Each structure stands twice: as C-alpha cells, then as structure tokens.
mmCIF file of all heavy atoms in Angstrom:
data_model
loop_
_atom_site.group_PDB
_atom_site.id
_atom_site.type_symbol
_atom_site.label_atom_id
_atom_site.label_comp_id
_atom_site.label_asym_id
_atom_site.label_seq_id
_atom_site.Cartn_x
_atom_site.Cartn_y
_atom_site.Cartn_z
ATOM 1 N N ASP A 1 -6.617 -31.256 -25.360
ATOM 2 C CA ASP A 1 -5.164 -31.270 -25.585
ATOM 3 C C ASP A 1 -4.801 -32.125 -26.789
ATOM 4 O O ASP A 1 -3.902 -31.783 -27.577
ATOM 5 C CB ASP A 1 -4.426 -31.834 -24.352
ATOM 6 C CG ASP A 1 -4.503 -30.894 -23.152
ATOM 7 O OD1 ASP A 1 -4.871 -29.719 -23.345
ATOM 8 O OD2 ASP A 1 -4.182 -31.339 -22.030
ATOM 9 N N GLU A 2 -5.495 -33.264 -26.941
ATOM 10 C CA GLU A 2 -5.151 -34.225 -27.991
ATOM 11 C C GLU A 2 -5.882 -33.971 -29.305
ATOM 12 O O GLU A 2 -5.683 -34.707 -30.271
ATOM 13 C CB GLU A 2 -5.457 -35.651 -27.495
ATOM 14 C CG GLU A 2 -4.607 -36.065 -26.289
ATOM 15 C CD GLU A 2 -5.037 -37.404 -25.720
ATOM 16 O OE1 GLU A 2 -5.517 -38.246 -26.494
ATOM 17 O OE2 GLU A 2 -4.897 -37.592 -24.500
ATOM 18 N N GLY A 3 -6.747 -32.951 -29.326
ATOM 19 C CA GLY A 3 -7.476 -32.644 -30.558
ATOM 20 C C GLY A 3 -8.675 -33.538 -30.789
ATOM 21 O O GLY A 3 -9.264 -33.533 -31.880
ATOM 22 N N ILE A 4 -9.063 -34.335 -29.803
ATOM 23 C CA ILE A 4 -10.246 -35.193 -29.927
ATOM 24 C C ILE A 4 -11.503 -34.335 -29.861
ATOM 25 O O ILE A 4 -12.512 -34.629 -30.495
ATOM 26 C CB ILE A 4 -10.250 -36.257 -28.805
ATOM 27 C CG1 ILE A 4 -9.045 -37.192 -28.982
ATOM 28 C CG2 ILE A 4 -11.546 -37.054 -28.788
ATOM 29 C CD1 ILE A 4 -8.798 -38.107 -27.801
ATOM 30 N N ILE A 5 -11.415 -33.260 -29.081
ATOM 31 C CA ILE A 5 -12.501 -32.280 -28.999
ATOM 32 C C ILE A 5 -11.947 -30.917 -29.407
ATOM 33 O O ILE A 5 -10.860 -30.523 -28.982
ATOM 34 C CB ILE A 5 -13.086 -32.204 -27.561
ATOM 35 C CG1 ILE A 5 -13.864 -33.491 -27.236
ATOM 36 C CG2 ILE A 5 -13.995 -30.994 -27.396
ATOM 37 C CD1 ILE A 5 -14.393 -33.541 -25.821
ATOM 38 N N GLU A 6 -12.677 -30.207 -30.220
ATOM 39 C CA GLU A 6 -12.310 -28.842 -30.622
ATOM 40 C C GLU A 6 -13.404 -27.877 -30.177
ATOM 41 O O GLU A 6 -14.563 -28.271 -30.037
ATOM 42 C CB GLU A 6 -12.119 -28.762 -32.140
ATOM 43 C CG GLU A 6 -10.923 -29.574 -32.638
ATOM 44 C CD GLU A 6 -10.787 -29.516 -34.152
ATOM 45 O OE1 GLU A 6 -11.756 -29.062 -34.829
ATOM 46 O OE2 GLU A 6 -9.743 -29.945 -34.672
ATOM 47 N N ILE A 7 -13.009 -26.621 -29.946
ATOM 48 C CA ILE A 7 -13.981 -25.609 -29.529
ATOM 49 C C ILE A 7 -14.189 -24.621 -30.670
ATOM 50 O O ILE A 7 -13.244 -24.010 -31.157
ATOM 51 C CB ILE A 7 -13.493 -24.862 -28.264
ATOM 52 C CG1 ILE A 7 -13.228 -25.865 -27.130
ATOM 53 C CG2 ILE A 7 -14.506 -23.821 -27.817
ATOM 54 C CD1 ILE A 7 -12.561 -25.272 -25.907
ATOM 55 N N HIS A 8 -15.448 -24.483 -31.111
ATOM 56 C CA HIS A 8 -15.805 -23.523 -32.164
ATOM 57 C C HIS A 8 -16.998 -22.710 -31.682
ATOM 58 O O HIS A 8 -18.040 -23.277 -31.362
ATOM 59 C CB HIS A 8 -16.173 -24.252 -33.471
ATOM 60 C CG HIS A 8 -15.007 -24.966 -34.089
ATOM 61 N ND1 HIS A 8 -14.022 -24.326 -34.800
ATOM 62 C CD2 HIS A 8 -14.675 -26.283 -34.078
ATOM 63 C CE1 HIS A 8 -13.140 -25.212 -35.225
ATOM 64 N NE2 HIS A 8 -13.514 -26.410 -34.791
ATOM 65 N N ASP A 9 -16.821 -21.385 -31.642
ATOM 66 C CA ASP A 9 -17.916 -20.490 -31.226
ATOM 67 C C ASP A 9 -18.554 -20.954 -29.904
ATOM 68 O O ASP A 9 -19.787 -21.084 -29.792
ATOM 69 C CB ASP A 9 -18.996 -20.414 -32.324
ATOM 70 C CG ASP A 9 -18.431 -19.871 -33.623
ATOM 71 O OD1 ASP A 9 -17.534 -19.001 -33.557
ATOM 72 O OD2 ASP A 9 -18.867 -20.336 -34.692
ATOM 73 N N ASN A 10 -17.687 -21.236 -28.950
ATOM 74 C CA ASN A 10 -18.125 -21.663 -27.601
ATOM 75 C C ASN A 10 -18.867 -22.995 -27.583
ATOM 76 O O ASN A 10 -19.562 -23.311 -26.626
ATOM 77 C CB ASN A 10 -18.990 -20.587 -26.938
ATOM 78 C CG ASN A 10 -18.197 -19.320 -26.661
ATOM 79 O OD1 ASN A 10 -17.029 -19.406 -26.282
ATOM 80 N ND2 ASN A 10 -18.813 -18.173 -26.858
ATOM 81 N N ASP A 11 -18.729 -23.775 -28.646
ATOM 82 C CA ASP A 11 -19.331 -25.122 -28.687
ATOM 83 C C ASP A 11 -18.229 -26.180 -28.731
ATOM 84 O O ASP A 11 -17.188 -25.990 -29.366
ATOM 85 C CB ASP A 11 -20.211 -25.292 -29.930
ATOM 86 C CG ASP A 11 -21.535 -24.548 -29.792
ATOM 87 O OD1 ASP A 11 -21.966 -24.354 -28.639
ATOM 88 O OD2 ASP A 11 -22.104 -24.164 -30.824
ATOM 89 N N PHE A 12 -18.471 -27.304 -28.067
ATOM 90 C CA PHE A 12 -17.563 -28.450 -28.173
ATOM 91 C C PHE A 12 -17.939 -29.271 -29.405
ATOM 92 O O PHE A 12 -19.112 -29.584 -29.605
ATOM 93 C CB PHE A 12 -17.674 -29.348 -26.930
ATOM 94 C CG PHE A 12 -17.092 -28.734 -25.684
ATOM 95 C CD1 PHE A 12 -17.868 -28.589 -24.539
ATOM 96 C CD2 PHE A 12 -15.765 -28.323 -25.643
ATOM 97 C CE1 PHE A 12 -17.331 -28.046 -23.380
ATOM 98 C CE2 PHE A 12 -15.222 -27.774 -24.488
ATOM 99 C CZ PHE A 12 -16.010 -27.635 -23.354
ATOM 100 N N ARG A 13 -16.929 -29.638 -30.190
ATOM 101 C CA ARG A 13 -17.174 -30.507 -31.355
ATOM 102 C C ARG A 13 -16.224 -31.694 -31.311
ATOM 103 O O ARG A 13 -15.017 -31.523 -31.150
ATOM 104 C CB ARG A 13 -16.965 -29.740 -32.663
ATOM 105 C CG ARG A 13 -18.003 -28.638 -32.869
ATOM 106 C CD ARG A 13 -17.811 -27.944 -34.194
ATOM 107 N NE ARG A 13 -18.722 -26.807 -34.345
ATOM 108 C CZ ARG A 13 -18.706 -25.988 -35.389
ATOM 109 N NH1 ARG A 13 -17.826 -26.159 -36.376
ATOM 110 N NH2 ARG A 13 -19.571 -24.988 -35.456
ATOM 111 N N VAL A 14 -16.781 -32.876 -31.456
ATOM 112 C CA VAL A 14 -15.970 -34.095 -31.445
ATOM 113 C C VAL A 14 -15.384 -34.313 -32.838
ATOM 114 O O VAL A 14 -16.078 -34.204 -33.841
ATOM 115 C CB VAL A 14 -16.839 -35.311 -31.049
ATOM 116 C CG1 VAL A 14 -16.014 -36.591 -31.076
ATOM 117 C CG2 VAL A 14 -17.436 -35.103 -29.668
ATOM 118 N N THR A 15 -14.074 -34.621 -32.882
ATOM 119 C CA THR A 15 -13.412 -34.882 -34.172
ATOM 120 C C THR A 15 -13.329 -36.387 -34.414
ATOM 121 O O THR A 15 -13.662 -37.192 -33.534
ATOM 122 C CB THR A 15 -11.994 -34.283 -34.186
ATOM 123 O OG1 THR A 15 -11.168 -35.029 -33.292
ATOM 124 C CG2 THR A 15 -12.009 -32.823 -33.762
ATOM 125 N N GLU A 16 -12.843 -36.763 -35.578
ATOM 126 C CA GLU A 16 -12.746 -38.193 -35.919
ATOM 127 C C GLU A 16 -11.730 -38.936 -35.042
ATOM 128 O O GLU A 16 -11.743 -40.167 -34.966
ATOM 129 C CB GLU A 16 -12.354 -38.351 -37.394
ATOM 130 C CG GLU A 16 -11.022 -37.691 -37.724
ATOM 131 C CD GLU A 16 -10.718 -37.726 -39.219
ATOM 132 O OE1 GLU A 16 -11.646 -37.897 -40.026
ATOM 133 O OE2 GLU A 16 -9.531 -37.566 -39.544
ATOM 134 N N LYS A 17 -10.880 -38.180 -34.335
ATOM 135 C CA LYS A 17 -9.890 -38.815 -33.443
ATOM 136 C C LYS A 17 -10.556 -39.544 -32.271
ATOM 137 O O LYS A 17 -9.900 -40.303 -31.557
ATOM 138 C CB LYS A 17 -8.914 -37.777 -32.899
ATOM 139 C CG LYS A 17 -7.970 -37.206 -33.950
ATOM 140 C CD LYS A 17 -6.984 -36.221 -33.316
ATOM 141 C CE LYS A 17 -6.043 -35.635 -34.362
ATOM 142 N NZ LYS A 17 -5.082 -34.681 -33.756
ATOM 143 N N ILE A 18 -11.847 -39.310 -32.069
ATOM 144 C CA ILE A 18 -12.572 -39.963 -30.970
ATOM 145 C C ILE A 18 -12.506 -41.480 -31.100
ATOM 146 O O ILE A 18 -12.544 -42.209 -30.104
ATOM 147 C CB ILE A 18 -14.058 -39.481 -30.923
ATOM 148 C CG1 ILE A 18 -14.751 -39.954 -29.610
ATOM 149 C CG2 ILE A 18 -14.829 -39.996 -32.126
ATOM 150 C CD1 ILE A 18 -14.233 -39.318 -28.385
ATOM 151 N N ASN A 19 -12.359 -41.970 -32.359
ATOM 152 C CA ASN A 19 -12.333 -43.425 -32.591
ATOM 153 C C ASN A 19 -11.076 -44.078 -32.023
ATOM 154 O O ASN A 19 -11.066 -45.268 -31.732
ATOM 155 C CB ASN A 19 -12.438 -43.717 -34.096
ATOM 156 C CG ASN A 19 -13.752 -43.205 -34.667
ATOM 157 O OD1 ASN A 19 -14.800 -43.393 -34.067
ATOM 158 N ND2 ASN A 19 -13.685 -42.513 -35.802
ATOM 159 N N GLN A 20 -10.006 -43.280 -31.882
ATOM 160 C CA GLN A 20 -8.746 -43.818 -31.326
ATOM 161 C C GLN A 20 -8.539 -43.374 -29.865
ATOM 162 O O GLN A 20 -7.480 -43.591 -29.285
ATOM 163 C CB GLN A 20 -7.544 -43.362 -32.152
ATOM 164 C CG GLN A 20 -7.422 -44.022 -33.523
ATOM 165 C CD GLN A 20 -8.332 -43.356 -34.549
ATOM 166 O OE1 GLN A 20 -8.399 -42.130 -34.599
ATOM 167 N NE2 GLN A 20 -9.005 -44.162 -35.356
ATOM 168 N N ALA A 21 -9.562 -42.751 -29.262
ATOM 169 C CA ALA A 21 -9.395 -42.207 -27.902
ATOM 170 C C ALA A 21 -9.231 -43.326 -26.884
ATOM 171 O O ALA A 21 -9.889 -44.357 -26.958
ATOM 172 C CB ALA A 21 -10.603 -41.348 -27.531
ATOM 173 N N SER A 22 -8.324 -43.077 -25.960
ATOM 174 C CA SER A 22 -8.097 -44.017 -24.858
ATOM 175 C C SER A 22 -8.271 -43.243 -23.548
ATOM 176 O O SER A 22 -7.528 -42.314 -23.266
ATOM 177 C CB SER A 22 -6.690 -44.607 -24.930
ATOM 178 O OG SER A 22 -6.430 -45.417 -23.815
ATOM 179 N N ILE A 23 -9.264 -43.640 -22.782
ATOM 180 C CA ILE A 23 -9.555 -42.916 -21.546
ATOM 181 C C ILE A 23 -8.867 -43.621 -20.377
ATOM 182 O O ILE A 23 -9.124 -44.796 -20.121
ATOM 183 C CB ILE A 23 -11.074 -42.851 -21.276
ATOM 184 C CG1 ILE A 23 -11.782 -42.174 -22.452
ATOM 185 C CG2 ILE A 23 -11.359 -42.103 -19.976
ATOM 186 C CD1 ILE A 23 -13.286 -42.163 -22.333
ATOM 187 N N PRO A 24 -7.971 -42.935 -19.686
ATOM 188 C CA PRO A 24 -7.304 -43.545 -18.520
ATOM 189 C C PRO A 24 -8.329 -43.962 -17.464
ATOM 190 O O PRO A 24 -9.425 -43.404 -17.380
ATOM 191 C CB PRO A 24 -6.406 -42.410 -17.999
ATOM 192 C CG PRO A 24 -6.184 -41.523 -19.183
ATOM 193 C CD PRO A 24 -7.467 -41.582 -19.962
ATOM 194 N N GLU A 25 -7.952 -44.945 -16.649
ATOM 195 C CA GLU A 25 -8.900 -45.531 -15.700
ATOM 196 C C GLU A 25 -9.071 -44.699 -14.430
ATOM 197 O O GLU A 25 -10.065 -44.830 -13.737
ATOM 198 C CB GLU A 25 -8.447 -46.949 -15.330
ATOM 199 C CG GLU A 25 -8.540 -47.912 -16.506
ATOM 200 C CD GLU A 25 -8.157 -49.323 -16.097
ATOM 201 O OE1 GLU A 25 -7.924 -49.547 -14.889
ATOM 202 O OE2 GLU A 25 -8.099 -50.196 -16.978
ATOM 203 N N THR A 26 -8.073 -43.872 -14.083
ATOM 204 C CA THR A 26 -8.173 -43.085 -12.842
ATOM 205 C C THR A 26 -7.928 -41.610 -13.134
ATOM 206 O O THR A 26 -7.335 -41.246 -14.153
ATOM 207 C CB THR A 26 -7.133 -43.543 -11.797
ATOM 208 O OG1 THR A 26 -5.819 -43.224 -12.276
ATOM 209 C CG2 THR A 26 -7.223 -45.044 -11.535
ATOM 210 N N ILE A 27 -8.377 -40.763 -12.201
ATOM 211 C CA ILE A 27 -8.166 -39.318 -12.326
ATOM 212 C C ILE A 27 -6.670 -38.998 -12.368
ATOM 213 O O ILE A 27 -6.219 -38.177 -13.172
ATOM 214 C CB ILE A 27 -8.832 -38.568 -11.143
ATOM 215 C CG1 ILE A 27 -10.345 -38.701 -11.204
ATOM 216 C CG2 ILE A 27 -8.430 -37.103 -11.139
ATOM 217 C CD1 ILE A 27 -10.995 -38.021 -12.388
ATOM 218 N N ASN A 28 -5.891 -39.669 -11.510
ATOM 219 C CA ASN A 28 -4.441 -39.426 -11.498
ATOM 220 C C ASN A 28 -3.810 -39.709 -12.856
ATOM 221 O O ASN A 28 -2.934 -38.966 -13.314
ATOM 222 C CB ASN A 28 -3.762 -40.293 -10.425
ATOM 223 C CG ASN A 28 -3.855 -39.664 -9.048
ATOM 224 O OD1 ASN A 28 -4.653 -38.745 -8.837
ATOM 225 N ND2 ASN A 28 -3.065 -40.146 -8.116
ATOM 226 N N GLU A 29 -4.242 -40.793 -13.480
ATOM 227 C CA GLU A 29 -3.701 -41.144 -14.802
ATOM 228 C C GLU A 29 -4.071 -40.087 -15.840
ATOM 229 O O GLU A 29 -3.277 -39.773 -16.722
ATOM 230 C CB GLU A 29 -4.203 -42.518 -15.231
ATOM 231 C CG GLU A 29 -3.548 -43.662 -14.465
ATOM 232 C CD GLU A 29 -4.135 -45.009 -14.832
ATOM 233 O OE1 GLU A 29 -4.877 -45.083 -15.836
ATOM 234 O OE2 GLU A 29 -3.854 -45.984 -14.117
ATOM 235 N N VAL A 30 -5.283 -39.559 -15.737
ATOM 236 C CA VAL A 30 -5.713 -38.500 -16.661
ATOM 237 C C VAL A 30 -4.803 -37.279 -16.502
ATOM 238 O O VAL A 30 -4.304 -36.712 -17.472
ATOM 239 C CB VAL A 30 -7.179 -38.080 -16.400
ATOM 240 C CG1 VAL A 30 -7.573 -36.911 -17.301
ATOM 241 C CG2 VAL A 30 -8.112 -39.251 -16.636
ATOM 242 N N ILE A 31 -4.596 -36.887 -15.231
ATOM 243 C CA ILE A 31 -3.770 -35.701 -14.950
ATOM 244 C C ILE A 31 -2.348 -35.918 -15.447
ATOM 245 O O ILE A 31 -1.777 -35.067 -16.140
ATOM 246 C CB ILE A 31 -3.772 -35.395 -13.434
ATOM 247 C CG1 ILE A 31 -5.167 -34.951 -12.994
ATOM 248 C CG2 ILE A 31 -2.746 -34.309 -13.094
ATOM 249 C CD1 ILE A 31 -5.377 -34.949 -11.493
ATOM 250 N N LEU A 32 -1.758 -37.076 -15.107
ATOM 251 C CA LEU A 32 -0.365 -37.333 -15.479
ATOM 252 C C LEU A 32 -0.190 -37.479 -16.983
ATOM 253 O O LEU A 32 0.864 -37.123 -17.522
ATOM 254 C CB LEU A 32 0.147 -38.586 -14.750
ATOM 255 C CG LEU A 32 0.293 -38.433 -13.237
ATOM 256 C CD1 LEU A 32 0.730 -39.747 -12.603
ATOM 257 C CD2 LEU A 32 1.281 -37.332 -12.887
ATOM 258 N N SER A 33 -1.233 -37.967 -17.663
ATOM 259 C CA SER A 33 -1.141 -38.058 -19.127
ATOM 260 C C SER A 33 -1.088 -36.662 -19.747
ATOM 261 O O SER A 33 -0.395 -36.436 -20.733
ATOM 262 C CB SER A 33 -2.322 -38.853 -19.698
ATOM 263 O OG SER A 33 -3.528 -38.115 -19.591
ATOM 264 N N ARG A 34 -1.791 -35.711 -19.121
ATOM 265 C CA ARG A 34 -1.735 -34.313 -19.593
ATOM 266 C C ARG A 34 -0.347 -33.717 -19.325
ATOM 267 O O ARG A 34 0.203 -33.019 -20.159
ATOM 268 C CB ARG A 34 -2.801 -33.462 -18.896
ATOM 269 C CG ARG A 34 -4.228 -33.853 -19.217
ATOM 270 C CD ARG A 34 -5.192 -32.773 -18.754
ATOM 271 N NE ARG A 34 -5.055 -31.574 -19.553
ATOM 272 C CZ ARG A 34 -5.404 -30.357 -19.164
ATOM 273 N NH1 ARG A 34 -5.885 -30.160 -17.962
ATOM 274 N NH2 ARG A 34 -5.262 -29.325 -19.971
ATOM 275 N N VAL A 35 0.173 -34.006 -18.141
ATOM 276 C CA VAL A 35 1.497 -33.482 -17.772
ATOM 277 C C VAL A 35 2.572 -34.049 -18.702
ATOM 278 O O VAL A 35 3.481 -33.328 -19.137
ATOM 279 C CB VAL A 35 1.821 -33.819 -16.297
ATOM 280 C CG1 VAL A 35 3.264 -33.444 -15.942
ATOM 281 C CG2 VAL A 35 0.848 -33.095 -15.370
#
C-alpha cells in the first residue's frame, strides 16, 4: 500500500522507501493503519 514493496512480473521488489518503514507493533495496528 505504501510503495515500500512493488510487484513486478510476480516478484516482490523492495524500494528505497524501506529505509523509512515503520512496522506497527501489533496485528491490529497493522490492519488499522491500512484502513
């Protein structure tokens, strides 16, 4: 969703945005951040 990972030809590719990625601590936080 945030463009940190892109899909090309059925492959996952990590973009430079990975350096600013913030991973929520719980599953609920991950879901609500998407919402």
Side-chain angles (χ1 to χ4, degrees):
D1 291 345
E2 296 173 31
I4 296 169
I5 290 176
E6 294 178 347
I7 303 172
H8 294 282
D9 299 326
N10 295 322
D11 285 334
F12 289 124
R13 293 183 185 176
V14 178
T15 69
E16 59 186 20
K17 291 183 180 180
I18 191 68
N19 298 316
Q20 288 81 44
S22 175
I23 302 175
E25 293 183 5
T26 67
I27 294 294
N28 278 15
E29 287 176 12
V30 176
I31 293 166
L32 292 177
S33 71
R34 295 193 69 203
V35 173

